Coordinates of all heavy atoms in Angstrom, one line a residue:
M1 N 53.4 71.7 -57.5 CA 52.3 72.7 -57.4 C 52.9 74.1 -57.5 O 53.9 74.4 -56.9 CB 51.5 72.4 -56.1 CG 50.3 73.3 -56.0 SD 49.4 72.8 -54.5 CE 48.0 73.9 -54.6
N2 N 52.1 75.0 -58.2 CA 52.6 76.3 -58.4 C 51.4 77.2 -58.4 O 50.4 76.9 -59.0 CB 53.3 76.3 -59.8 CG 54.0 77.5 -60.2 OD1 53.4 78.6 -60.3 ND2 55.3 77.4 -60.4
V3 N 51.5 78.3 -57.7 CA 50.3 79.2 -57.6 C 50.6 80.7 -57.8 O 51.8 81.1 -57.7 CB 49.7 79.1 -56.1 CG1 49.1 77.7 -55.9 CG2 50.7 79.5 -55.1
S4 N 49.6 81.4 -58.2 CA 49.7 82.8 -58.4 C 48.5 83.5 -57.8 O 47.4 82.9 -57.6 CB 49.7 83.2 -59.9 OG 50.9 82.7 -60.5
V5 N 48.6 84.8 -57.5 CA 47.4 85.6 -57.2 C 47.2 86.6 -58.4 O 48.1 87.2 -58.8 CB 47.7 86.5 -55.9 CG1 46.6 87.5 -55.7 CG2 47.8 85.6 -54.7
D6 N 45.9 86.6 -58.8 CA 45.5 87.5 -59.8 C 45.3 88.9 -59.2 O 44.3 89.1 -58.5 CB 44.2 87.0 -60.5 CG 43.7 87.9 -61.6 OD1 44.3 89.0 -61.8 OD2 42.8 87.5 -62.3
A7 N 46.2 89.8 -59.4 CA 46.2 91.1 -58.8 C 44.9 91.9 -59.3 O 44.6 92.9 -58.6 CB 47.4 91.9 -59.0
T8 N 44.4 91.6 -60.4 CA 43.2 92.4 -60.9 C 41.9 92.0 -60.2 O 41.0 92.8 -60.2 CB 43.1 92.1 -62.4 OG1 42.7 90.8 -62.7 CG2 44.3 92.5 -63.1
T9 N 41.9 90.8 -59.5 CA 40.7 90.4 -58.8 C 40.9 90.3 -57.3 O 39.9 90.4 -56.5 CB 40.1 89.1 -59.3 OG1 41.2 88.1 -59.2 CG2 39.7 89.2 -60.8
C10 N 42.1 90.3 -56.8 CA 42.3 90.2 -55.4 C 41.8 91.5 -54.7 O 42.0 92.6 -55.2 CB 43.8 90.1 -55.1 SG 44.3 90.3 -53.4
A11 N 41.0 91.3 -53.6 CA 40.4 92.4 -52.9 C 41.1 92.6 -51.5 O 40.6 93.5 -50.8 CB 38.9 92.3 -52.8
G12 N 42.1 91.9 -51.2 CA 42.8 92.1 -50.0 C 42.2 91.5 -48.7 O 42.4 92.0 -47.6
H13 N 41.4 90.4 -48.8 CA 40.8 89.9 -47.6 C 41.9 89.2 -46.7 O 41.6 89.1 -45.5 CB 39.8 88.8 -48.0 CG 38.7 89.4 -48.9 ND1 37.7 90.1 -48.4 CD2 38.5 89.2 -50.2 CE1 36.9 90.5 -49.3 NE2 37.3 89.9 -50.4
G14 N 43.0 88.8 -47.3 CA 44.1 88.3 -46.5 C 44.0 86.8 -46.1 O 44.8 86.4 -45.3
R15 N 43.0 86.1 -46.6 CA 42.9 84.7 -46.2 C 44.1 83.9 -46.8 O 44.5 82.9 -46.1 CB 41.6 84.1 -46.7 CG 40.4 84.8 -46.0 CD 39.1 84.1 -46.4 NE 38.0 84.8 -45.9 CZ 36.8 84.5 -46.2 NH1 36.5 83.5 -46.9 NH2 35.8 85.2 -45.6
C16 N 44.6 84.2 -47.9 CA 45.6 83.4 -48.6 C 46.9 83.4 -47.7 O 47.4 82.3 -47.3 CB 45.9 83.8 -50.0 SG 46.4 85.6 -50.1
Y17 N 47.4 84.6 -47.3 CA 48.6 84.6 -46.6 C 48.4 84.3 -45.1 O 49.4 83.9 -44.4 CB 49.4 85.9 -46.8 CG 48.6 87.2 -46.6 CD1 48.3 87.7 -45.3 CD2 48.2 87.9 -47.7 CE1 47.6 88.9 -45.2 CE2 47.4 89.0 -47.6 CZ 47.2 89.5 -46.4 OH 46.4 90.7 -46.2
T18 N 47.2 84.3 -44.6 CA 46.9 83.9 -43.3 C 46.9 82.3 -43.2 O 47.5 81.7 -42.3 CB 45.5 84.4 -42.8 OG1 45.6 85.8 -42.8 CG2 45.2 83.9 -41.4
L19 N 46.3 81.7 -44.2 CA 46.2 80.3 -44.3 C 47.6 79.6 -44.7 O 47.9 78.5 -44.2 CB 45.1 79.8 -45.3 CG 43.7 80.1 -44.8 CD1 42.7 79.9 -46.0 CD2 43.3 79.1 -43.7
A20 N 48.3 80.3 -45.6 CA 49.5 79.7 -46.1 C 50.6 80.8 -46.1 O 51.0 81.2 -47.2 CB 49.3 79.1 -47.5
P21 N 51.1 81.2 -45.0 CA 52.1 82.3 -45.0 C 53.4 82.0 -45.6 O 54.2 82.9 -45.9 CB 52.3 82.6 -43.4 CG 51.8 81.3 -42.8 CD 50.8 80.7 -43.6
D22 N 53.7 80.7 -45.7 CA 55.0 80.3 -46.4 C 54.9 80.2 -47.9 O 55.9 80.0 -48.6 CB 55.4 78.9 -45.9 CG 55.8 78.9 -44.4 OD1 56.2 80.0 -44.0 OD2 55.8 77.9 -43.8
V23 N 53.6 80.5 -48.4 CA 53.4 80.5 -49.9 C 53.1 81.9 -50.4 O 53.7 82.3 -51.4 CB 52.3 79.5 -50.2 CG1 52.0 79.5 -51.7 CG2 52.5 78.1 -49.7
F24 N 52.3 82.6 -49.7 CA 51.8 83.9 -50.2 C 52.4 85.0 -49.4 O 52.5 85.0 -48.2 CB 50.3 84.0 -50.1 CG 49.6 82.9 -50.8 CD1 49.2 81.7 -50.3 CD2 49.3 83.1 -52.2 CE1 48.6 80.7 -51.0 CE2 48.7 82.1 -53.0 CZ 48.3 80.9 -52.3
G25 N 52.8 86.1 -50.1 CA 53.2 87.3 -49.5 C 52.0 88.3 -49.4 O 50.9 88.0 -49.7
M26 N 52.3 89.5 -48.9 CA 51.3 90.6 -48.8 C 51.9 91.9 -49.2 O 53.1 92.2 -48.9 CB 50.9 90.7 -47.3 CG 49.9 91.7 -47.0 SD 49.6 91.8 -45.2 CE 51.1 92.5 -44.6
D27 N 51.1 92.6 -50.0 CA 51.7 94.0 -50.4 C 51.2 95.0 -49.4 O 50.6 94.7 -48.3 CB 51.2 94.3 -51.8 CG 49.8 94.7 -51.9 OD1 49.1 94.8 -50.9 OD2 49.3 94.8 -53.1
D28 N 51.6 96.3 -49.6 CA 51.4 97.3 -48.7 C 49.9 97.6 -48.4 O 49.5 98.3 -47.5 CB 52.0 98.6 -49.1 CG 53.5 98.6 -49.1 OD1 54.1 97.6 -48.4 OD2 54.2 99.4 -49.7
E29 N 49.0 97.1 -49.4 CA 47.6 97.4 -49.2 C 46.8 96.1 -48.8 O 45.6 96.1 -48.8 CB 47.0 97.9 -50.6 CG 47.6 99.3 -50.9 CD 47.2 99.8 -52.3 OE1 46.7 99.0 -53.1 OE2 47.3 101.0 -52.5
G30 N 47.6 95.1 -48.3 CA 46.9 93.9 -47.8 C 46.5 92.9 -48.9 O 45.9 91.9 -48.5
R31 N 47.0 93.1 -50.1 CA 46.7 92.1 -51.1 C 47.7 91.0 -51.1 O 48.8 91.2 -50.8 CB 46.6 92.8 -52.5 CG 45.5 93.8 -52.7 CD 45.4 94.3 -54.1 NE 44.2 95.1 -54.3 CZ 44.2 96.4 -54.2 NH1 45.2 97.0 -53.7 NH2 43.0 97.0 -54.4
G32 N 47.2 89.8 -51.5 CA 48.1 88.7 -51.6 C 49.0 88.8 -52.7 O 48.7 89.5 -53.7
V33 N 50.2 88.3 -52.5 CA 51.3 88.3 -53.6 C 51.8 87.0 -53.8 O 52.3 86.3 -52.9 CB 52.4 89.3 -53.1 CG1 53.5 89.2 -54.2 CG2 51.9 90.7 -52.9
A34 N 51.7 86.5 -55.0 CA 52.4 85.3 -55.5 C 52.4 85.3 -57.0 O 51.3 85.6 -57.6 CB 51.6 84.0 -55.0
D35 N 53.5 85.1 -57.6 CA 53.6 85.1 -59.1 C 54.3 83.7 -59.5 O 55.5 83.7 -59.5 CB 54.4 86.3 -59.6 CG 54.4 86.4 -61.1 OD1 53.7 85.6 -61.8 OD2 55.1 87.2 -61.6
H36 N 53.5 82.8 -59.8 CA 54.1 81.5 -60.2 C 55.0 80.9 -59.1 O 56.2 80.6 -59.4 CB 54.7 81.5 -61.6 CG 53.7 81.7 -62.7 ND1 53.2 83.0 -63.0 CD2 53.1 80.9 -63.5 CE1 52.4 82.9 -64.0 NE2 52.3 81.6 -64.3
V37 N 54.5 81.0 -57.9 CA 55.4 80.5 -56.8 C 55.3 79.0 -56.6 O 54.2 78.5 -56.5 CB 54.9 81.2 -55.5 CG1 55.6 80.7 -54.2 CG2 55.1 82.7 -55.5
P38 N 56.4 78.3 -56.6 CA 56.4 76.9 -56.3 C 56.0 76.7 -54.8 O 56.6 77.3 -53.9 CB 57.8 76.4 -56.5 CG 58.6 77.6 -57.2 CD 57.8 78.8 -56.9
V39 N 55.0 75.8 -54.6 CA 54.6 75.6 -53.2 C 55.6 74.6 -52.6 O 55.9 73.6 -53.1 CB 53.2 74.9 -53.2 CG1 52.8 74.5 -51.8 CG2 52.2 75.9 -53.8
P40 N 56.2 75.1 -51.4 CA 57.2 74.2 -50.8 C 56.6 72.9 -50.4 O 55.4 72.8 -50.1 CB 57.6 75.0 -49.5 CG 57.1 76.4 -49.8 CD 55.9 76.3 -50.7
P41 N 57.5 71.8 -50.3 CA 57.1 70.5 -49.8 C 56.4 70.6 -48.5 O 56.8 71.3 -47.6 CB 58.4 69.7 -49.7 CG 59.3 70.4 -50.6 CD 58.9 71.9 -50.6
G42 N 55.2 70.0 -48.3 CA 54.5 70.0 -47.1 C 53.5 71.1 -47.0 O 52.7 71.1 -46.0
Q43 N 53.5 72.0 -47.9 CA 52.6 73.2 -47.9 C 51.4 73.1 -48.9 O 50.6 74.0 -49.0 CB 53.4 74.5 -48.1 CG 54.4 74.8 -47.1 CD 53.9 75.1 -45.8 OE1 52.9 75.9 -45.7 NE2 54.3 74.5 -44.7
E44 N 51.3 71.9 -49.5 CA 50.3 71.8 -50.5 C 48.9 71.9 -50.0 O 48.0 72.6 -50.6 CB 50.5 70.4 -51.2 CG 51.7 70.3 -52.1 CD 52.9 69.8 -51.3 OE1 52.8 69.7 -50.1 OE2 53.9 69.5 -52.0
A45 N 48.6 71.3 -48.8 CA 47.3 71.4 -48.2 C 46.9 72.8 -47.9 O 45.8 73.2 -48.1 CB 47.2 70.5 -47.0
R46 N 47.9 73.6 -47.4 CA 47.6 75.0 -47.0 C 47.3 75.8 -48.3 O 46.5 76.7 -48.3 CB 48.8 75.6 -46.3 CG 48.9 75.0 -44.8 CD 50.2 75.6 -44.2 NE 50.3 75.2 -42.8 CZ 49.9 75.9 -41.7 NH1 49.3 77.1 -41.9 NH2 50.0 75.5 -40.5
A47 N 48.1 75.5 -49.3 CA 47.8 76.2 -50.6 C 46.5 75.9 -51.1 O 45.8 76.8 -51.6 CB 49.0 75.9 -51.6
E48 N 46.1 74.6 -51.0 CA 44.7 74.3 -51.5 C 43.7 75.0 -50.7 O 42.6 75.4 -51.2 CB 44.5 72.7 -51.4 CG 45.4 71.9 -52.3 CD 44.9 71.8 -53.7 OE1 43.9 72.4 -54.0 OE2 45.5 71.1 -54.5
E49 N 43.9 75.1 -49.4 CA 42.9 75.8 -48.5 C 42.8 77.3 -49.0 O 41.7 77.8 -49.0 CB 43.4 75.7 -47.1 CG 43.1 74.5 -46.4 CD 41.6 74.2 -46.2 OE1 40.9 75.1 -45.5 OE2 41.0 73.2 -46.8
A50 N 43.9 77.9 -49.3 CA 43.9 79.2 -49.8 C 43.1 79.4 -51.1 O 42.3 80.3 -51.2 CB 45.3 79.7 -49.9
I51 N 43.3 78.4 -52.0 CA 42.5 78.5 -53.2 C 41.0 78.4 -52.9 O 40.3 79.2 -53.5 CB 43.0 77.3 -54.1 CG1 44.4 77.5 -54.6 CG2 42.0 77.2 -55.3 CD1 45.0 76.3 -55.3
L52 N 40.7 77.5 -52.0 CA 39.2 77.2 -51.8 C 38.6 78.4 -51.0 O 37.4 78.6 -51.1 CB 39.1 75.9 -51.0 CG 39.4 74.7 -51.8 CD1 39.4 73.5 -50.8 CD2 38.4 74.5 -52.9
N53 N 39.5 79.1 -50.2 CA 38.9 80.1 -49.3 C 39.0 81.6 -49.8 O 38.6 82.5 -49.1 CB 39.5 80.0 -47.9 CG 39.0 78.8 -47.1 OD1 37.9 79.0 -46.5 ND2 39.7 77.7 -47.2
C54 N 39.6 81.8 -50.9 CA 39.7 83.1 -51.5 C 38.3 83.6 -51.9 O 37.8 83.0 -52.9 CB 40.7 83.2 -52.6 SG 40.7 84.9 -53.4
P55 N 37.7 84.6 -51.3 CA 36.4 85.0 -51.7 C 36.3 85.5 -53.1 O 35.2 85.5 -53.7 CB 36.1 86.1 -50.7 CG 37.0 86.0 -49.6 CD 38.2 85.4 -50.2
E56 N 37.4 86.0 -53.7 CA 37.4 86.5 -55.0 C 37.8 85.5 -56.1 O 37.9 85.8 -57.3 CB 38.3 87.8 -55.1 CG 38.1 88.8 -54.0 CD 36.7 89.4 -54.0 OE1 36.1 89.4 -55.1 OE2 36.2 89.8 -52.9
R57 N 38.2 84.3 -55.6 CA 38.7 83.3 -56.5 C 40.0 83.8 -57.3 O 40.1 83.6 -58.5 CB 37.7 82.8 -57.5 CG 36.5 82.1 -56.8 CD 35.4 81.6 -57.7 NE 34.3 81.1 -57.0 CZ 33.9 79.8 -57.1 NH1 34.6 79.0 -57.8 NH2 32.9 79.4 -56.4
A58 N 40.7 84.6 -56.5 CA 41.9 85.2 -57.1 C 43.2 84.4 -57.0 O 44.2 84.7 -57.6 CB 42.1 86.6 -56.5
V59 N 43.1 83.3 -56.2 CA 44.3 82.4 -56.1 C 44.2 81.3 -57.2 O 43.2 80.6 -57.3 CB 44.4 81.7 -54.8 CG1 45.6 80.9 -54.7 CG2 44.4 82.8 -53.7
I60 N 45.2 81.3 -58.0 CA 45.2 80.5 -59.2 C 46.3 79.4 -59.1 O 47.4 79.6 -58.7 CB 45.5 81.3 -60.5 CG1 44.5 82.4 -60.7 CG2 45.6 80.4 -61.7 CD1 45.0 83.5 -61.6
R61 N 45.8 78.1 -59.4 CA 46.8 77.0 -59.4 C 47.3 76.9 -60.8 O 46.5 76.7 -61.8 CB 46.1 75.7 -59.0 CG 47.0 74.6 -59.0 CD 46.3 73.3 -58.5 NE 47.2 72.2 -58.5 CZ 47.1 71.2 -57.7 NH1 46.1 71.1 -56.8 NH2 48.0 70.2 -57.7
N62 N 48.6 77.1 -61.0 CA 49.1 77.1 -62.4 C 49.5 75.6 -62.8 O 49.6 75.4 -64.0 CB 50.4 77.9 -62.4 CG 50.1 79.4 -62.0 OD1 49.3 80.0 -62.6 ND2 50.8 79.8 -61.0
G63 N 49.7 74.8 -61.9 CA 50.1 73.4 -62.2 C 50.5 72.7 -61.0 O 50.4 73.2 -59.9
Ligands
SF4_1 S1 42.5 85.6 -50.1 FE1 42.1 86.2 -52.2 S2 41.3 88.3 -52.1 FE2 42.3 87.8 -50.1 S3 44.3 88.6 -50.3 FE3 44.4 86.5 -50.9 S4 44.1 86.5 -53.1 FE4 43.5 88.5 -52.3

């Protein structure tokens, strides 16, 4: 599993890195950061939660 945050639609709600801190980073303005990040073993469910809970649908599953 591999995920990204679309920086053009992310509005900085912070749910992604709150739900999956081992997958998503945060920039200085509170936006989620991930660019084709491989989800570590055991973190898949948290990453799925982040995808489902992003209000802007900015978390993208690449594969
Ligand atoms: S939950 Fe969505 S809108 Fe919020 S920081 Fe993460 S990617 Fe951005």
